[in-house]
């Protein structure tokens, strides 16, 4: 990591935090803006829903493939340089996407936008960990990672709707490009000079073979999970793609064990806090993915709500996270973060059980209570978990550690979406012969609705079980099992 191990942290660190906060806001709001604008994009470019799926898939595959190399580059050349490069690439590709004249051009520029996002987001936690001492780190992560992230996810669809309605869908990309330019200027002015330097760049060459193996493996695995979400488990393409992914990742692990300067230093997984904390982190994103995918269907199918009212009813989850994340960060500076992680996942499990028993005629207050409770649990878990993971690493591995957190998030979301669709599709297939969630609409017949409700409840029960398993994982004894001493 570029920032030295001086006991005196940078004096302007809270101003520097604005860079990480702005990066988080740009990337999180972008997804919501695009989701609202997609129908108009498809119509304007004379395409179909295939365009929407390819835009999402290209972004997911590119970011997941580049998180690890971007984290490694941060350790080699300095986090500041990676932020500047990421903001420039994100801005240029956003303006280009806003000017796209065909579906192919838009997908290409969205892929470049994903590369810029990976350069930025892979290093956010590394920057915060390096800038802030342990007694302030939890609050900093709570603000930049928790509150700002939740606000981005909440405001994105609203902002996207306003821009698309008033100025057209291209304005969403132009705004993202402008904000990325602001981020570039902020990074150049506010980040300390030390963040643009590295003590390791001349000693450790970059691992290109490991990068290729990892990109192949993670992309193939995520592609297989995406196909499986469309109820194509028995499709040979799913099996072959998953096998390629597993084989490539297996080769990657073996290669990293042999190479002198690996892309991913596997010794970080000897740190018990890092390994166990990432396991719990993966569980948390699985359960969030299950809920975020199925709840909108429940509100619009079972409750008969329109998309606008459904959107307002799911807002309590990110709103609760935004409010409580700084407090959770403050608590993580003063008590064992493992206990907070366990408490948060326990609250999640209770919230998921409550939500699983919602009936089609449930009152709005029941939905708001359950989703707000879910947000409370995630707020209690996420910031202490981030603090625990990053504080357990040696400073020269902060970049790669930060990228691992991003990879775990991507995998968790993909696994959760696959789990939810597989369970609901099973019940739909058994009852109606239809398997895809995309076939569901507000006019669903009684058998379809009943099958969906059964699948919905089973999926939420499964998610609750995963949450309670995460409680056990978070409380697993770790004393004396770290490969490095914390903060070394």
């Amino acid at each position: 990591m570029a920032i030295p191990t001086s006991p005196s942290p940078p004096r302007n660190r809270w101003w520097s935090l604005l860079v990480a906060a702005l990066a988080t806001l740009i990337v999180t709001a972008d997804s919501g803006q695009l989701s609202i604008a997609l129908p108009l994009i498809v119509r304007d470019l004379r395409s179909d829903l295939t365009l929407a799926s390819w835009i999402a898939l290209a972004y997911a595959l590119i970011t997941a493939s580049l998180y690890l190399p971007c984290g490694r580059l941060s350790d080699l050349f300095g986090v500041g340089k990676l932020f500047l490069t990421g903001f420039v690439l994100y801005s240029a590709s956003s303006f280009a996407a806003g000017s796209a004249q065909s579906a192919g051009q838009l997908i290409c520029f969205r892929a470049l936008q994903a590369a810029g996002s990976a350069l930025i987001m892979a290093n956010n936690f590394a920057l915060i960990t390096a800038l802030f001492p342990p007694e302030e780190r939890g609050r900093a992560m709570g603000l930049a990672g928790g509150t700002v992230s939740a606000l981005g996810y909440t405001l994105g669809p609203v902002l996207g709707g306003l821009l698309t309605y008033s100025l057209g869908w291209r304005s969403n990309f132009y705004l993202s490009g402008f904000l990325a330019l602001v981020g570039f200027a902020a990074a150049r002015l506010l980040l300390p000079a030390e963040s643009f330097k590295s003590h390791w760049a001349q000693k450790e060459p970059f691992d290109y073979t490991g990068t290729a193996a990892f990109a192949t493996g993670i992309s193939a695995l995520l592609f297989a999970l995406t196909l499986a979400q469309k109820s194509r488990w028995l499709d040979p393409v799913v099996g072959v793609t998953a096998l390629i992914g597993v084989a490539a990742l297996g080769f990657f692990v073996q290669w990293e064990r042999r190479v002198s300067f690996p892309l991913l230093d596997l010794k970080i997984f000897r740190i018990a806090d890092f390994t166990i904390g990432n396991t719990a982190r993966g569980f948390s994103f699985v359960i969030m993915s299950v809920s975020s995918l199925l709840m909108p269907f429940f509100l619009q199918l079972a409750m008969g709500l329109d998309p606008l009212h459904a959107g307002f009813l799911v807002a309590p989850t990110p709103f609760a996270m935004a409010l409580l994340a700084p407090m959770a960060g403050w608590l993580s500076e003063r008590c064992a973060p493992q206990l907070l992680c366990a408490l948060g996942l326990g609250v999640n499990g209770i919230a998921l059980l409550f939500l699983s028993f919602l009936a089609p005629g449930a009152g709005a207050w029941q939905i708001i209570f359950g989703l707000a409770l879910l947000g409370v649990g995630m707020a209690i878990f996420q910031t202490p978990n981030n603090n625990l993971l990053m504080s357990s690493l040696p400073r020269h591995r902060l970049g790669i550690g930060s990228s691992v957190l991003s990879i775990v998030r991507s995998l968790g979301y993909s696994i959760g979406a696959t789990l939810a669709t597989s369970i609901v599709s099973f019940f739909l297939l058994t009852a109606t012969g239809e398997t895809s969630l995309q076939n569901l609409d507000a006019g669903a017949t009684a058998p379809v609705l009943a099958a969906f409700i059964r699948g919905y409840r089973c999926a939420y029960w499964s998610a609750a079980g995963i949450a309670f398993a995460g409680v056990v994982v978070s409380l697993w004894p770790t004393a004396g099992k770290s490969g490095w001493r914390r903060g070394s």
Side-chain angles (χ1 to χ4, degrees), residues 302-318:
M303 301 292 295
L305 301 177
D306 59 57
L308 178 62
H309 287 87
F312 278 116
L313 277 182
V314 300
T317 297

Side-chain angles (χ1 to χ4, degrees), residues 267-279 338 388-389 392 473 476-484 486:
K267 287 191 294 183
I268 64 175
F269 294 105
R270 297 178 187 173
I271 304 173
D273 282 344
F274 187 77
T275 300
I276 293 176
N278 266 305
T279 302
Q338 295 92 333
L388 170 70
L389 291 172
S392 70
V473 170
W476 199 265
T478 62
K481 296 182 181 180
S482 294
W484 275 302
R486 184 177 300 183

Side-chain angles (χ1 to χ4, degrees), residues 201-283:
Q202 303 302 318
K203 299 179 181 179
E204 301 182 3
F206 190 73
D207 179 12
Y208 293 100
T209 301
T211 297
F214 176 79
T216 301
I218 198 71
S219 297
L221 200 57
L222 288 176
F223 187 64
L225 287 171
T226 301
L227 293 178
Q229 291 174 28
K230 300 178 181 179
S231 305
R232 295 173 57 182
W233 279 106
L234 299 180
D235 191 327
V237 176
V238 175
V240 171
T241 306
L243 185 61
I244 292 173
V246 172
L249 289 177
F251 170 80
F252 169 74
V253 171
Q254 293 302 317
W255 175 262
E256 298 302 283
R257 287 176 174 174
R258 299 197 309 264
V259 69
S260 299
F261 301 102
L263 177 69
L264 174 61
D265 190 344
L266 297 177
K267 287 191 294 183
I268 64 175
F269 294 105
R270 297 178 187 173
I271 304 173
D273 282 344
F274 187 77
T275 300
I276 293 176
N278 266 305
T279 302
R281 176 180 176 84
F283 286 179

Side-chain angles (χ1 to χ4, degrees), residues 49-383:
L49 288 177
T50 303
L51 171 62
S53 62
W54 272 107
I55 287 176
L57 183 61
Y59 193 90
L61 295 184
I62 294 296
T63 51
S65 299
L66 292 182
Y67 279 141
L68 205 56
C70 289
R72 176 61 174 154
L73 288 172
S74 170
D75 287 336
L76 290 177
F77 300 110
V79 68
K81 295 177 182 178
L82 270 292
F83 264 99
L84 292 180
T85 304
F87 278 127
V88 168
L89 181 56
Y90 195 90
S91 179
S93 56
S94 295
F95 284 119
S99 304
Q101 300 300 311
S102 68
Q105 289 180 10
L106 183 58
I107 293 171
C108 177
F109 294 137
R110 183 64 174 167
L112 290 174
Q113 201 180 28
S117 172
L119 284 164
I120 298 169
M121 295 304 292
N123 297 294
N124 245 13
F125 290 127
L127 175 65
I128 297 171
T129 304
L131 286 175
F132 289 87
E135 61 271 17
E136 296 177 346
R137 193 173 297 152
R139 280 168 289 172
M141 286 188 174
L143 287 170
T147 298
V148 174
S149 178
L151 286 175
Y153 284 122
T154 303
L155 295 176
V158 177
L159 188 60
L162 290 174
L163 287 173
T164 303
Y165 178 80
S166 304
L167 302 172
W169 63 267
R170 298 179 188 276
S171 61
N172 290 283
F173 289 107
Y174 294 149
L175 177 63
S176 295
F178 171 75
L179 289 177
L181 287 180
V182 175
F184 173 85
R188 199 71 190 89
L189 292 172
L190 298 178
L191 292 183
E194 293 84 353
S195 66
F196 297 95
K197 303 175 184 177
S198 175
H199 300 291
W200 296 278
Q202 303 302 318
K203 299 179 181 179
E204 301 182 3
F206 190 73
D207 179 12
Y208 293 100
T209 301
T211 297
F214 176 79
T216 301
I218 198 71
S219 297
L221 200 57
L222 288 176
F223 187 64
L225 287 171
T226 301
L227 293 178
Q229 291 174 28
K230 300 178 181 179
S231 305
R232 295 173 57 182
W233 279 106
L234 299 180
D235 191 327
V237 176
V238 175
V240 171
T241 306
L243 185 61
I244 292 173
V246 172
L249 289 177
F251 170 80
F252 169 74
V253 171
Q254 293 302 317
W255 175 262
E256 298 302 283
R257 287 176 174 174
R258 299 197 309 264
V259 69
S260 299
F261 301 102
L263 177 69
L264 174 61
D265 190 344
L266 297 177
K267 287 191 294 183
I268 64 175
F269 294 105
R270 297 178 187 173
I271 304 173
D273 282 344
F274 187 77
T275 300
I276 293 176
N278 266 305
T279 302
R281 176 180 176 84
F283 286 179
S284 74
F285 283 110
V286 168
I287 64 178
M288 281 300 294
S289 180
V290 169
S291 184
S292 62
L293 177 67
L294 293 184
M295 184 53 65
F297 283 98
F298 176 84
L299 295 176
Q300 295 178 63
L301 284 174
M303 301 292 295
L305 301 177
D306 59 57
L308 178 62
H309 287 87
F312 278 116
L313 277 182
V314 300
T317 297
F319 186 70
M321 293 174 64
L323 285 178
L324 295 178
M327 182 181 297
W330 178 81
L331 287 173
S332 72
E333 298 165 2
R334 287 158 174 77
C335 59
Q338 295 92 333
L339 297 178
L340 293 173
C341 291
L343 175 61
L345 287 173
V347 173
N348 282 154
I350 295 171
L352 291 164
L353 287 177
F354 178 86
L355 292 169
S356 72
F357 288 105
L358 290 177
W365 70 268
Q366 294 174 292
I367 298 168
I368 292 172
F369 173 79
L371 291 176
L373 188 62
L374 189 64
V376 169
M378 289 307 300
I380 295 173
F381 171 83
Q382 278 196 351
T383 302

